[in-house]
Amino acid sequence: MPLQIYNSLNRQKQEFKPIKTNEITMYVCGPTVYDLSHIGHARSAVAFDVVYRYLKYKGFNVKYTRNYTDIDDKIINRANKDGVPWNEISERYIKAFDEDMAALDVELPTFRPKATETIREMIDVIQTLISKGFAYAMDGDVYYSVRKFAGYGKLSGKNIEELEAGARVEVDERKKDPLDFALWKSSKPGEPSWPSPWGEGRPGWHIECSAMSQKFLGDTIDIHGGGKDLIFPHHENEIAQSEAATGKPFVRYWLHNGFVNIEKEKMSKSLGNILTIRDALKNYSAEAIRLFLLSSHYQSPIDYSADALKEAEAALERYYRTLERMERDWPNVANAPIPEEVKQEILKPFIHAMDEDFNTVAVKRFIFQWVNDVNSLMDFASRTGIDEEFQKTLPRAALIFKEIGGILGIFNRNWQEYFQEKKSRSRIPADEIEKLIVKRAEARTNKDFKKADDIRKELEEKGVLLEDTPKGTVWRMKI
RNA sequence: GGCGGCGUACCCAAGUGGCUAAGGGAGCAGUCUGCAAAACUGCGAUGCAGCGGUUCAAAUCCGCUCGCCGCCUCCA
């Protein structure tokens, strides 16, 4: 069963056939670094992180490029507002973005170029476009002639006549046509600038992706990703630039992720509901945020809410409790080796789900079906002893959890780590809890259940749960 | 106005032509427990926004209607 990918270019799920047999080239639009990244950036990053991990898992050598847009009007505006040099802004937020990605366990792409490191290549592409008649210089600016490119609109499904009719932005006098967009912008005194054949200036937004993609991955690439909002005009313009310049197809498969809404509303500056990754991490674990993001298909809109995140935390708790029970109570059974052919067989449903346009929701379902199965078997084994079914199933589940954990970047910690981290967030010191547990044990021995229950209730109000097990009382953090 | 998407149980969310429509959360009942918690077991859509149509067969394809959303302007 080959990998099927939904391609925005023809709005169909189609079989994925890379240009080369073993190598895949993939480009994803990275952030414009003028502010902290928000949960929407996290979704895009996590979605394509899973694509990247899965393609590697399938055995491909993936060359993955994600850029930093580190020169842009928004960066300049922010710098003016803060009264600092523009590159201080971009450096600050590149660092912040990298930290956020690391916190979310997003793997580093192969190449992470900055726009400002690729200026020379951008100028080359612009010159090619001018010499081929697709672009024209005008008083230090360079514009792309949209009407010269026959395929304009093929990605976004727009046609030029309607765009013309709907054009309502202030028309730049120097443009020959309102639809034309800037490849190069002349700079005003005091603004950041680079020398070019057209004078001092800076690149337009769209050209950087064409230049960086070409520089690091070649003229035609396998996969290009980004948020749905980038389809028009950004990706449409990238196609126009790259294909006009090289005369070759730019991208074989376009992938676009859906938005994150906040409590059913679109995130926007005007609504003031931008949720930064940092703020989300203050309330929820990175792993829960990842699970939340992967609990819907990457193309669907999703709704960030306290309920949804709590649900993700609860699911993780359930998973790690199961893992704990397996590895603590039956380590020898759980870690028994699995023959390679059995491994291939039991992984089939997961592979099949991921091959269907990265169906992470189905993968999650399988994980929890295994969770249910092993819990059921462990219940049975605790009562009546180990049987053949148990010995067969437990190591298989352990293997599946490990393999899938690597692909999703979730479910891949060990249980000690998971519970330790949660306990470290307790507002009451551990030794104080331990003391209360001893006190409660005494009360229980004396059949003073009122006192025992009061202690448990007291701790519960502070977020600590006590559980009485055959091996004594243990404590956990409430979700 | 143009383009695109969505509407599946109380909530979240898979399934996109054919076995009893996944899974999670919440709820109820039971097992276990001093009581709980966890775990397990059982219950829960005769139905997939509505109405028509195609088909031996439709949540799944087609048409219409209703509702919601995104893009068309910087935006993941």
Side-chain angles (χ1 to χ4, degrees):
Chain A
M1 177 73 192
L3 173 61
Q4 304 279 322
I5 296 184
Y6 179 88
N7 190 349
S8 305
L9 192 57
N10 50 24
R11 301 192 189 96
Q12 274 175 358
K13 221 192 260 185
Q14 54 185 201
E15 187 177 331
F16 178 68
K17 291 179 188 156
I19 301 160
K20 295 183 187 170
T21 321
N22 290 314
E23 187 180 285
I24 292 174
T25 47
M26 165 164 144
Y27 186 97
V28 173
C29 292
T32 301
V33 283
Y34 71 104
D35 206 346
L36 288 173
S37 296
H38 55 63
I39 196 75
H41 296 106
R43 185 182 198 192
S44 179
V46 168
F48 292 108
D49 182 47
V50 170
V51 169
Y52 179 45
R53 287 171 186 248
Y54 185 62
L55 294 173
K56 285 196 292 180
Y57 179 83
K58 284 188 84 86
F60 292 105
N61 171 26
V62 187
K63 288 162 82 177
Y64 172 24
T65 302
R66 187 186 62 216
N67 68 293
Y68 299 96
T69 299
D70 64 339
I71 180 63
D72 176 270
D73 289 353
K74 289 196 288 291
I75 295 170
I76 296 169
N77 292 342
R78 177 68 191 259
N80 291 340
K81 199 179 132 211
D82 288 13
V84 298
W86 66 275
N87 55 338
E88 192 176 315
I89 297 293
S90 58
E91 277 161 30
R92 181 196 303 166
Y93 291 112
I94 284 174
K95 186 164 171 283
F97 180 79
D98 287 347
E99 287 166 3
D100 290 346
M101 291 302 109
L104 291 171
D105 204 13
V106 171
E107 290 192 358
L108 284 179
T110 325
F111 306 106
R112 292 180 294 140
K114 295 173 187 153
T116 54
E117 295 167 348
T118 325
I119 303 276
R120 191 170 47 82
E121 287 82 354
M122 294 188 222
I123 290 173
D124 287 347
V125 177
I126 296 170
Q127 283 192 303
T128 304
L129 288 171
I130 291 175
S131 67
K132 289 192 173 184
F134 288 100
Y136 55 95
M138 194 73 90
D139 303 332
D141 293 333
V142 183
Y143 294 100
Y144 187 98
S145 285
V146 167
R147 285 179 186 280
K148 296 269 171 65
F149 182 68
Y152 197 82
K154 64 181 173 184
L155 176 67
S156 54
K158 302 195 182 303
N159 78 58
I160 288 187
E161 303 316 319
E162 278 160 7
L163 282 170
E164 183 86 84
R168 54 187 147 95
V169 265
E170 77 291 1
V171 176
D172 187 326
E173 294 298 315
R174 288 166 297 184
K175 286 191 204 175
K176 289 181 181 168
D177 188 304
L179 294 178
D180 294 351
F181 60 89
L183 295 169
W184 188 263
K185 299 174 172 183
S186 59
S187 54
K188 300 185 195 96
E191 285 183 345
S193 68
W194 288 261
S196 82
W198 317 284
E200 290 284 315
R202 63 177 184 272
W205 174 36
H206 315 293
I207 193 65
E208 63 176 81
C209 291
S210 288
M212 285 188 263
S213 175
Q214 188 179 12
K215 177 180 179 184
F216 292 96
L217 304 174
D219 290 348
T220 301
I221 64 172
D222 291 306
I223 293 173
H224 191 126
K228 272 188 180 359
D229 52 341
L230 296 181
I231 292 173
F232 189 87
H234 186 53
H235 289 162
E236 197 66 63
N237 290 354
E238 282 185 42
I239 293 174
Q241 294 163 347
S242 293
E243 299 196 348
T246 67
K248 298 176 195 164
F250 176 41
V251 172
R252 292 163 61 87
Y253 301 87
W254 284 96
L255 275 68
H256 291 100
N257 64 274
F259 293 121
V260 181
N261 295 322
I262 304 291
E263 305 281 0
K264 303 221 194 301
E265 275 190 318
K266 186 185 169 171
M267 256 196 296
S268 75
K269 293 251 150 135
S270 52
L271 284 167
N273 63 347
I274 302 282
L275 177 72
T276 62
I277 295 172
R278 290 179 182 211
D279 281 341
L281 284 167
K282 279 179 198 156
N283 295 320
Y284 306 102
S285 68
E287 199 173 0
I289 293 170
R290 263 187 96 103
L291 179 59
F292 159 70
L293 294 173
L294 296 174
S295 291
S296 306
H297 187 77
Y298 72 91
Q299 287 179 60
S300 316
I302 49 175
D303 194 35
Y304 184 100
S305 66
D307 280 352
L309 270 292
K310 278 182 192 152
E311 197 176 314
E313 293 280 14
L316 281 179
E317 180 84 7
R318 176 168 160 77
Y319 169 79
Y320 280 108
R321 275 175 183 268
T322 306
L323 197 63
E324 173 182 24
R325 217 176 147 194
M326 286 165 72
E327 296 191 340
R328 184 195 58 203
D329 298 348
W330 285 285
N332 295 336
V333 181
N335 295 317
I338 301 275
E340 187 61 27
E341 63 271 19
V342 173
K343 177 178 162 184
Q344 294 310 321
E345 188 58 33
I346 56 175
L347 282 167
K348 263 187 189 165
F350 299 94
I351 304 298
H352 186 256
M354 287 301 283
D355 278 347
E356 283 288 330
D357 200 26
F358 312 102
N359 190 342
T360 54
V361 185
V363 171
K364 180 182 157 191
R365 166 174 80 226
F366 289 125
I367 291 266
F368 283 99
Q369 277 170 345
W370 279 91
V371 163
N372 184 267
D373 283 353
V374 294
N375 273 322
S376 174
L377 286 166
M378 287 190 292
D379 271 10
F380 187 76
S382 325
R383 288 196 306 271
T384 53
I386 294 172
D387 65 2
E388 204 178 312
E389 177 74 8
F390 183 79
Q391 282 182 307
K392 196 176 96 182
T393 306
L394 223 59
R396 292 183 179 196
L399 178 88
I400 279 168
F401 294 160
K402 198 165 161 250
E403 294 275 325
I404 305 308
I407 297 173
L408 298 186
I410 327 175
F411 309 126
N412 55 355
R413 287 189 282 170
N414 62 47
W415 60 271
Q416 291 94 335
E417 209 183 311
Y418 173 84
F419 288 109
Q420 200 48 54
E421 193 203 308
K422 292 200 80 174
K423 282 184 170 182
S424 71
R425 286 188 241 149
S426 169
R427 281 174 289 149
I428 330 164
D431 56 345
E432 202 173 302
I433 297 168
E434 300 293 347
K435 271 182 211 160
L436 285 168
I437 288 176
V438 172
K439 248 173 89 181
R440 180 166 167 274
E442 284 164 12
R444 292 179 73 207
T445 312
N446 300 330
K447 305 261 186 240
D448 186 353
F449 294 120
K450 167 81 172 64
K451 191 175 172 189
D453 289 349
D454 283 349
I455 291 173
R456 184 162 57 197
K457 206 174 160 198
E458 180 194 332
L459 282 171
E460 192 182 337
E461 278 161 9
K462 292 171 180 166
V464 174
L465 293 178
L466 296 188
E467 292 178 15
D468 298 325
T469 75
K471 289 173 184 165
T473 301
V474 297
W475 67 277
R476 298 177 190 278
M477 297 305 294
K478 231 166 134 177
I479 295 161

